[in-house]
Each structure stands twice: as structure tokens, then as C-alpha cells.
Amino acid sequence: MKLRYRYRIYPTDSQKIALAKLFGCVRVVWNDALAFCKEAYSRGEKYLGESELQKRFITLAKQTENRQWLSEVSNIPLQQSIRDLGQAYKNFFTSCTGKRQGKKVKPPQFKKRKSTQSARFRSGGFKINQHNVYLAKLGLIKVEWSRPLPSEPSSVTIIKDAANRYFLSCVVEINYEKLPDNGQAIGIDLGMIDFATFNDGEKVKAPKPLGKKLKRLRKLQRHLSRKLKGSKRREIARKKLARLHAKICDTRTDFLHKLSTKVIRENQTIALEDLNVSGMVKNRKLARAISDLGWRSFRTMLEAKAQMYGRDLRIISRWEATSQTCCCCGEKGGKKELDVREWTCLFCGTTHDRDINAATNILKVAGGHSETKNGRGGRRKTTVSAASCETSTHRENKQLSLWMSHKSLFFT
């Protein structure tokens, strides 16, 4: 299995200038080749291929006066830029024909100077050392090795984000050892008040980094909007805003990685519900809070780590009435509003915590049915019988008991 290991690097001032030249050359080669491909497509011509594009926009372009400065940087990232363009077009074509599963892939777009910059070096253009990394025509760059590399990387990518931070992304081959089967099974209900509720009663609070930094974020956005475009003060304000966005993203990602690793290591079978996150974020009142949680990222991490460590991840259909069904007797109590956190079953009289009951039902459904791996096996909607149309909340239970007492007094 191939994975990416990312490390923070600290180039010197002269190396930052050289990296800026490298990023600019990679971007120009990509944009020139993409513009030619789009013009050729408008004329009805076919895609030339990577070798012809490299010859035209790298080898021959260096001999022209407008592009002679391409020879000042390493030729390896320029060639890799053309390969990446070819792969982008391949993904787009396979997505259009239906051979590629998942969401439709858009055609490649032009690269911008102010977005995230990157340049990839393959074997022969880099060398990994104990405290640094050597890159062709850039020299030795200091690296903070936060964890050891499991093997020699096949390629490395230099990345500069919007907050002016530099990273080294290494592609390595890993053979993971399967974790021993401990026989543990767990059902997880994802929510907004508690990020994850397990069927054993444990609840995990979400860090909600965006909600905690929202006041500071709005302040920095106001400061940026008031600055004159192109001025130095606007660039300073932009960097401050970008650093805050990076802090929010890093906090969320760190939380999701730690929680997903803990769940994978402690359980053999993990049951999760297929949530329609893209549809839920269309609710303007809950969109920001849902996006701040990162439900989809958590599921993606669980899927990847379950495959690596030999765990069984089961995704049940979204149409299962896990919050409406009593986990003790199996009867349905009807739809409940979001503010109803506890309810009592009208059939067996058991008092349930809403989230714990849902997590228990998720585990039961995952263990009793063979759902598809992507969780889209069930397209049916839950039907509520006439005998269970009442929502059994504490408030309605009081009204029911009061009505029963008056009824007994009237008929006796």
C-alpha cells in the first residue's frame, strides 16, 4: 500500500526565492500545455500525448526568448507537471464514460499564482539525509522528521500553502501487519452535540475549531476587506487570516486522526451509519456546524485504516430508523425532534438516551444484515405503523398518564 508522509521543512531565504522560481516554472508549463490542449480540443484535434507536450513546452520552449528562464530550474518537476496534466485528463475522460466510480471529475483547470503551490521530484532528483533533504538545483533543505520514514520514497513533493508554510510530502510503500482479532464490536452514532456516541455509553465531544475561532475569524476577515488591493498591509492581513484557517484545519484533522486510530485499534468490527452530508449542509441553519465536525473525513479515515489493519467496517443504510426504534423491544416510536435527547418507549417502558440507543441499533443492523460496503444497499424509506405514530417523549408520556387517570375516573 502506498501512503504519503508529510513533514515540515524550513528553507532559507535564498532557497525560498529558488522555490518561488520553481513553482512559477511548473505553473507556466502546466498552463501553457493546458491552453494548447483546450485550443486543440476546440478545433476537433486529439490529445497529443505527454512526450509531444514535453517536447513542445519544455525542450523547445527553453530555446525561445519568452521561456528561456525555464532552464534555471530542474527539468524533473517540469516533466512531472506534464505527466500530472495527462493523468488529470485521463481521470476526466474515465469519469465521463462512467468507468471511474464516485463523484464526477472536472476537467483540469489553470493554476493560479496565489493558490497552493507544489513541485514534484521523482527518483534521481532528491536524496533523503538524516537532518535534511537534497533537491536538484535547490541544495540541502532542513526537514523536521516528526516520524521515521518506513521506506525509501519513490517521489517527494514540495508544497507551499496559503499561510507560507513549506512541507515535504513523501510517497512510500508500506506493508502493514494485520492487527489480531480481539472480537470487539462497536456501533458509532455521529451527532452534533457529541461528535461520536458509542453503544457502550461512551461519548466523545467534538473540538469544533471553527466555532471557537469564529469571532477571531470574522475580525481578520473585516481587516482584510478594508485593505487596499496590492498593498503590503493587505498581504500581511491575508497571511494572518490564512494562518488562522490552517490552525482550524489542523485542529480538526488531528482530532479525527486520533479518534479514528483509537477506534480501529480497540475494535474488530465497527458499524457506522451512511449520512447524507452533502444534503444536510444545504440546511442554512446547520450547514456551518455540520461542516465544522468533519463527518465525511472521519468515515474516510476509518475506511482507509480498516483496510490497512484488517478491521471490518460496516456501513448501514441511511434509511434505517435507528433513532426511532427501541433497542430493547424493537418497536418504533415515531420521528423525534432534534431537541429530544431522552425518551421512554411506550411498549416496554425503557428510558433511552437518544444517541446511545441509535448507536446500539446501528450495531444490531450491521450485524444482522449484509449491507453493501458503500452503505447504499437500502433505498427504502422507513414506514411507521399506525400503532406507533406517537413520539414517546417525556412530555407526551406525562400527557398520556394524565389522560389515562382521567379516563379511569370517568368510567369507574
mmCIF file of all heavy atoms in Angstrom, residues 355-388:
data_model
loop_
_atom_site.group_PDB
_atom_site.id
_atom_site.type_symbol
_atom_site.label_atom_id
_atom_site.label_comp_id
_atom_site.label_asym_id
_atom_site.label_seq_id
_atom_site.Cartn_x
_atom_site.Cartn_y
_atom_site.Cartn_z
ATOM 1 N N ASP A 355 -28.834 9.084 21.619
ATOM 2 C CA ASP A 355 -27.642 8.729 20.851
ATOM 3 C C ASP A 355 -27.162 7.314 21.166
ATOM 4 O O ASP A 355 -26.741 6.581 20.263
ATOM 5 C CB ASP A 355 -26.534 9.742 21.124
ATOM 6 C CG ASP A 355 -26.916 11.149 20.700
ATOM 7 O OD1 ASP A 355 -27.721 11.280 19.757
ATOM 8 O OD2 ASP A 355 -26.430 12.111 21.311
ATOM 9 N N ILE A 356 -27.195 6.915 22.427
ATOM 10 C CA ILE A 356 -26.770 5.560 22.795
ATOM 11 C C ILE A 356 -27.704 4.526 22.177
ATOM 12 O O ILE A 356 -27.269 3.474 21.692
ATOM 13 C CB ILE A 356 -26.711 5.412 24.327
ATOM 14 C CG1 ILE A 356 -25.681 6.387 24.924
ATOM 15 C CG2 ILE A 356 -26.372 3.987 24.723
ATOM 16 C CD1 ILE A 356 -25.621 6.368 26.435
ATOM 17 N N ASN A 357 -28.998 4.813 22.191
ATOM 18 C CA ASN A 357 -29.961 3.906 21.564
ATOM 19 C C ASN A 357 -29.699 3.780 20.065
ATOM 20 O O ASN A 357 -29.759 2.677 19.499
ATOM 21 C CB ASN A 357 -31.379 4.417 21.808
ATOM 22 C CG ASN A 357 -32.432 3.597 21.099
ATOM 23 O OD1 ASN A 357 -32.761 2.493 21.498
ATOM 24 N ND2 ASN A 357 -32.969 4.155 20.011
ATOM 25 N N ALA A 358 -29.391 4.904 19.397
ATOM 26 C CA ALA A 358 -29.105 4.869 17.962
ATOM 27 C C ALA A 358 -27.836 4.069 17.669
ATOM 28 O O ALA A 358 -27.787 3.287 16.712
ATOM 29 C CB ALA A 358 -28.986 6.288 17.420
ATOM 30 N N ALA A 359 -26.789 4.256 18.497
ATOM 31 C CA ALA A 359 -25.546 3.511 18.293
ATOM 32 C C ALA A 359 -25.759 2.009 18.473
ATOM 33 O O ALA A 359 -25.205 1.189 17.731
ATOM 34 C CB ALA A 359 -24.479 4.021 19.264
ATOM 35 N N THR A 360 -26.592 1.635 19.455
ATOM 36 C CA THR A 360 -26.900 0.214 19.657
ATOM 37 C C THR A 360 -27.646 -0.364 18.472
ATOM 38 O O THR A 360 -27.368 -1.489 18.020
ATOM 39 C CB THR A 360 -27.722 0.044 20.948
ATOM 40 O OG1 THR A 360 -27.032 0.652 22.043
ATOM 41 C CG2 THR A 360 -27.949 -1.424 21.256
ATOM 42 N N ASN A 361 -28.600 0.388 17.928
ATOM 43 C CA ASN A 361 -29.348 -0.084 16.759
ATOM 44 C C ASN A 361 -28.458 -0.179 15.525
ATOM 45 O O ASN A 361 -28.635 -1.074 14.686
ATOM 46 C CB ASN A 361 -30.531 0.840 16.481
ATOM 47 C CG ASN A 361 -31.650 0.684 17.488
ATOM 48 O OD1 ASN A 361 -31.878 -0.412 18.006
ATOM 49 N ND2 ASN A 361 -32.341 1.764 17.788
ATOM 50 N N ILE A 362 -27.512 0.727 15.389
ATOM 51 C CA ILE A 362 -26.579 0.681 14.253
ATOM 52 C C ILE A 362 -25.765 -0.604 14.290
ATOM 53 O O ILE A 362 -25.571 -1.275 13.263
ATOM 54 C CB ILE A 362 -25.668 1.926 14.269
ATOM 55 C CG1 ILE A 362 -26.455 3.178 13.887
ATOM 56 C CG2 ILE A 362 -24.493 1.752 13.317
ATOM 57 C CD1 ILE A 362 -25.688 4.465 14.043
ATOM 58 N N LEU A 363 -25.298 -0.973 15.486
ATOM 59 C CA LEU A 363 -24.526 -2.206 15.618
ATOM 60 C C LEU A 363 -25.396 -3.431 15.347
ATOM 61 O O LEU A 363 -24.951 -4.393 14.706
ATOM 62 C CB LEU A 363 -23.925 -2.287 17.021
ATOM 63 C CG LEU A 363 -23.057 -3.514 17.315
ATOM 64 C CD1 LEU A 363 -21.882 -3.580 16.345
ATOM 65 C CD2 LEU A 363 -22.558 -3.497 18.749
ATOM 66 N N LYS A 364 -26.651 -3.401 15.790
ATOM 67 C CA LYS A 364 -27.545 -4.533 15.546
ATOM 68 C C LYS A 364 -27.832 -4.702 14.057
ATOM 69 O O LYS A 364 -27.807 -5.810 13.528
ATOM 70 C CB LYS A 364 -28.860 -4.331 16.307
ATOM 71 C CG LYS A 364 -28.762 -4.587 17.801
ATOM 72 C CD LYS A 364 -30.135 -4.475 18.443
ATOM 73 C CE LYS A 364 -30.065 -4.800 19.933
ATOM 74 N NZ LYS A 364 -31.409 -4.733 20.570
ATOM 75 N N VAL A 365 -28.112 -3.610 13.377
ATOM 76 C CA VAL A 365 -28.403 -3.680 11.940
ATOM 77 C C VAL A 365 -27.178 -4.145 11.159
ATOM 78 O O VAL A 365 -27.264 -4.957 10.232
ATOM 79 C CB VAL A 365 -28.890 -2.311 11.420
ATOM 80 C CG1 VAL A 365 -29.043 -2.332 9.908
ATOM 81 C CG2 VAL A 365 -30.202 -1.943 12.076
ATOM 82 N N ALA A 366 -26.011 -3.645 11.530
ATOM 83 C CA ALA A 366 -24.783 -4.037 10.828
ATOM 84 C C ALA A 366 -24.457 -5.505 11.052
ATOM 85 O O ALA A 366 -23.914 -6.172 10.154
ATOM 86 C CB ALA A 366 -23.620 -3.176 11.295
ATOM 87 N N GLY A 367 -24.809 -6.049 12.208
ATOM 88 C CA GLY A 367 -24.515 -7.446 12.476
ATOM 89 C C GLY A 367 -25.544 -8.398 11.921
ATOM 90 O O GLY A 367 -25.244 -9.561 11.657
ATOM 91 N N GLY A 368 -26.769 -7.907 11.679
ATOM 92 C CA GLY A 368 -27.839 -8.788 11.251
ATOM 93 C C GLY A 368 -28.110 -8.776 9.771
ATOM 94 O O GLY A 368 -28.823 -9.632 9.266
ATOM 95 N N HIS A 369 -27.565 -7.799 9.037
ATOM 96 C CA HIS A 369 -27.822 -7.698 7.603
ATOM 97 C C HIS A 369 -26.497 -7.554 6.877
ATOM 98 O O HIS A 369 -25.535 -7.004 7.408
ATOM 99 C CB HIS A 369 -28.716 -6.485 7.271
ATOM 100 C CG HIS A 369 -30.077 -6.565 7.891
ATOM 101 N ND1 HIS A 369 -30.306 -6.256 9.202
ATOM 102 C CD2 HIS A 369 -31.267 -6.927 7.363
ATOM 103 C CE1 HIS A 369 -31.590 -6.413 9.477
ATOM 104 N NE2 HIS A 369 -32.189 -6.813 8.377
ATOM 105 N N SER A 370 -26.461 -8.025 5.665
ATOM 106 C CA SER A 370 -25.259 -7.898 4.836
ATOM 107 C C SER A 370 -25.413 -6.670 3.959
ATOM 108 O O SER A 370 -25.893 -6.738 2.836
ATOM 109 C CB SER A 370 -25.070 -9.149 3.976
ATOM 110 O OG SER A 370 -26.204 -9.370 3.167
ATOM 111 N N GLU A 371 -25.022 -5.518 4.491
ATOM 112 C CA GLU A 371 -25.167 -4.277 3.736
ATOM 113 C C GLU A 371 -24.023 -4.147 2.739
ATOM 114 O O GLU A 371 -22.963 -4.747 2.890
ATOM 115 C CB GLU A 371 -25.140 -3.077 4.691
ATOM 116 C CG GLU A 371 -26.299 -3.030 5.660
ATOM 117 C CD GLU A 371 -27.600 -2.697 4.977
ATOM 118 O OE1 GLU A 371 -27.557 -2.117 3.885
ATOM 119 O OE2 GLU A 371 -28.646 -3.044 5.534
ATOM 120 N N THR A 372 -24.234 -3.352 1.720
ATOM 121 C CA THR A 372 -23.168 -3.080 0.784
ATOM 122 C C THR A 372 -22.108 -2.237 1.452
ATOM 123 O O THR A 372 -22.354 -1.544 2.429
ATOM 124 C CB THR A 372 -23.714 -2.328 -0.451
ATOM 125 O OG1 THR A 372 -24.336 -1.137 -0.006
ATOM 126 C CG2 THR A 372 -24.709 -3.172 -1.206
ATOM 127 N N LYS A 373 -20.898 -2.268 0.895
ATOM 128 C CA LYS A 373 -19.787 -1.617 1.564
ATOM 129 C C LYS A 373 -19.899 -0.104 1.558
ATOM 130 O O LYS A 373 -19.425 0.574 2.452
ATOM 131 C CB LYS A 373 -18.473 -2.030 0.894
ATOM 132 C CG LYS A 373 -17.281 -1.890 1.797
ATOM 133 C CD LYS A 373 -16.147 -2.769 1.337
ATOM 134 C CE LYS A 373 -15.041 -2.833 2.378
ATOM 135 N NZ LYS A 373 -13.953 -3.719 2.000
ATOM 136 N N ASN A 374 -20.539 0.472 0.527
ATOM 137 C CA ASN A 374 -20.679 1.922 0.491
ATOM 138 C C ASN A 374 -21.949 2.394 1.175
ATOM 139 O O ASN A 374 -22.272 3.576 1.134
ATOM 140 C CB ASN A 374 -20.637 2.429 -0.958
ATOM 141 C CG ASN A 374 -21.750 1.832 -1.795
ATOM 142 O OD1 ASN A 374 -22.546 1.044 -1.307
ATOM 143 N ND2 ASN A 374 -21.781 2.207 -3.056
ATOM 144 N N GLY A 375 -22.696 1.486 1.792
ATOM 145 C CA GLY A 375 -23.848 1.887 2.585
ATOM 146 C C GLY A 375 -25.048 2.298 1.791
ATOM 147 O O GLY A 375 -25.956 2.917 2.333
ATOM 148 N N ARG A 376 -25.106 1.968 0.522
ATOM 149 C CA ARG A 376 -26.234 2.407 -0.303
ATOM 150 C C ARG A 376 -27.055 1.211 -0.783
ATOM 151 O O ARG A 376 -27.680 1.241 -1.828
ATOM 152 C CB ARG A 376 -25.726 3.217 -1.500
ATOM 153 C CG ARG A 376 -24.940 4.421 -1.042
ATOM 154 C CD ARG A 376 -24.531 5.292 -2.213
ATOM 155 N NE ARG A 376 -23.657 6.351 -1.785
ATOM 156 C CZ ARG A 376 -24.077 7.501 -1.315
ATOM 157 N NH1 ARG A 376 -25.350 7.727 -1.169
ATOM 158 N NH2 ARG A 376 -23.225 8.432 -0.954
ATOM 159 N N GLY A 377 -27.018 0.139 0.005
ATOM 160 C CA GLY A 377 -27.772 -1.033 -0.380
ATOM 161 C C GLY A 377 -29.262 -0.853 -0.167
ATOM 162 O O GLY A 377 -30.076 -1.400 -0.905
ATOM 163 N N GLY A 378 -29.657 -0.097 0.841
ATOM 164 C CA GLY A 378 -31.079 0.085 1.111
ATOM 165 C C GLY A 378 -31.574 1.419 0.626
ATOM 166 O O GLY A 378 -31.095 2.457 1.036
ATOM 167 N N ARG A 379 -32.538 1.389 -0.275
ATOM 168 C CA ARG A 379 -33.105 2.626 -0.791
ATOM 169 C C ARG A 379 -34.519 2.841 -0.273
ATOM 170 O O ARG A 379 -35.160 3.809 -0.646
ATOM 171 C CB ARG A 379 -33.127 2.584 -2.322
ATOM 172 C CG ARG A 379 -31.740 2.752 -2.933
ATOM 173 C CD ARG A 379 -31.235 4.153 -2.744
ATOM 174 N NE ARG A 379 -29.937 4.355 -3.350
ATOM 175 C CZ ARG A 379 -29.272 5.482 -3.276
ATOM 176 N NH1 ARG A 379 -29.772 6.503 -2.613
ATOM 177 N NH2 ARG A 379 -28.098 5.616 -3.845
ATOM 178 N N ARG A 380 -35.003 1.928 0.565
ATOM 179 C CA ARG A 380 -36.369 2.056 1.033
ATOM 180 C C ARG A 380 -36.448 3.087 2.146
ATOM 181 O O ARG A 380 -35.484 3.318 2.879
ATOM 182 C CB ARG A 380 -36.861 0.703 1.564
ATOM 183 C CG ARG A 380 -36.066 0.200 2.766
ATOM 184 C CD ARG A 380 -36.655 -1.083 3.297
ATOM 185 N NE ARG A 380 -35.906 -1.557 4.444
ATOM 186 C CZ ARG A 380 -36.092 -1.122 5.673
ATOM 187 N NH1 ARG A 380 -36.965 -0.174 5.913
ATOM 188 N NH2 ARG A 380 -35.377 -1.605 6.678
ATOM 189 N N LYS A 381 -37.609 3.700 2.283
ATOM 190 C CA LYS A 381 -37.870 4.623 3.373
ATOM 191 C C LYS A 381 -38.578 3.882 4.496
ATOM 192 O O LYS A 381 -39.362 2.970 4.264
ATOM 193 C CB LYS A 381 -38.722 5.795 2.900
ATOM 194 C CG LYS A 381 -37.988 6.722 1.945
ATOM 195 C CD LYS A 381 -38.799 7.963 1.686
ATOM 196 C CE LYS A 381 -38.023 8.927 0.787
ATOM 197 N NZ LYS A 381 -38.781 10.170 0.544
ATOM 198 N N THR A 382 -38.269 4.260 5.713
ATOM 199 C CA THR A 382 -38.852 3.587 6.858
ATOM 200 C C THR A 382 -40.332 3.905 6.948
ATOM 201 O O THR A 382 -40.742 5.061 6.893
ATOM 202 C CB THR A 382 -38.150 4.041 8.146
ATOM 203 O OG1 THR A 382 -36.751 3.821 7.993
ATOM 204 C CG2 THR A 382 -38.661 3.284 9.332
ATOM 205 N N THR A 383 -41.137 2.872 7.074
ATOM 206 C CA THR A 383 -42.586 3.057 7.201
ATOM 207 C C THR A 383 -42.975 2.910 8.658
ATOM 208 O O THR A 383 -42.551 1.978 9.340
ATOM 209 C CB THR A 383 -43.330 2.010 6.363
ATOM 210 O OG1 THR A 383 -42.928 0.698 6.786
ATOM 211 C CG2 THR A 383 -43.025 2.185 4.887
ATOM 212 N N VAL A 384 -43.746 3.830 9.160
ATOM 213 C CA VAL A 384 -44.179 3.824 10.551
ATOM 214 C C VAL A 384 -45.603 3.305 10.609
ATOM 215 O O VAL A 384 -46.494 3.823 9.929
ATOM 216 C CB VAL A 384 -44.101 5.241 11.154
ATOM 217 C CG1 VAL A 384 -44.507 5.219 12.615
ATOM 218 C CG2 VAL A 384 -42.691 5.780 11.008
ATOM 219 N N SER A 385 -45.843 2.275 11.408
ATOM 220 C CA SER A 385 -47.180 1.694 11.515
ATOM 221 C C SER A 385 -48.104 2.621 12.281
ATOM 222 O O SER A 385 -47.668 3.520 13.001
ATOM 223 C CB SER A 385 -47.101 0.336 12.213
ATOM 224 O OG SER A 385 -46.570 0.474 13.511
ATOM 225 N N ALA A 386 -49.406 2.386 12.141
ATOM 226 C CA ALA A 386 -50.383 3.267 12.780
ATOM 227 C C ALA A 386 -50.334 3.163 14.285
ATOM 228 O O ALA A 386 -50.671 4.105 15.007
ATOM 229 C CB ALA A 386 -51.790 2.909 12.293
ATOM 230 N N ALA A 387 -49.911 2.008 14.811
ATOM 231 C CA ALA A 387 -49.864 1.836 16.267
ATOM 232 C C ALA A 387 -48.690 2.548 16.895
ATOM 233 O O ALA A 387 -48.644 2.699 18.114
ATOM 234 C CB ALA A 387 -49.803 0.351 16.615
ATOM 235 N N SER A 388 -47.701 2.984 16.080
ATOM 236 C CA SER A 388 -46.511 3.604 16.660
ATOM 237 C C SER A 388 -46.274 4.974 16.066
ATOM 238 O O SER A 388 -45.149 5.343 15.775
ATOM 239 C CB SER A 388 -45.294 2.709 16.414
ATOM 240 O OG SER A 388 -45.126 2.518 15.020
#
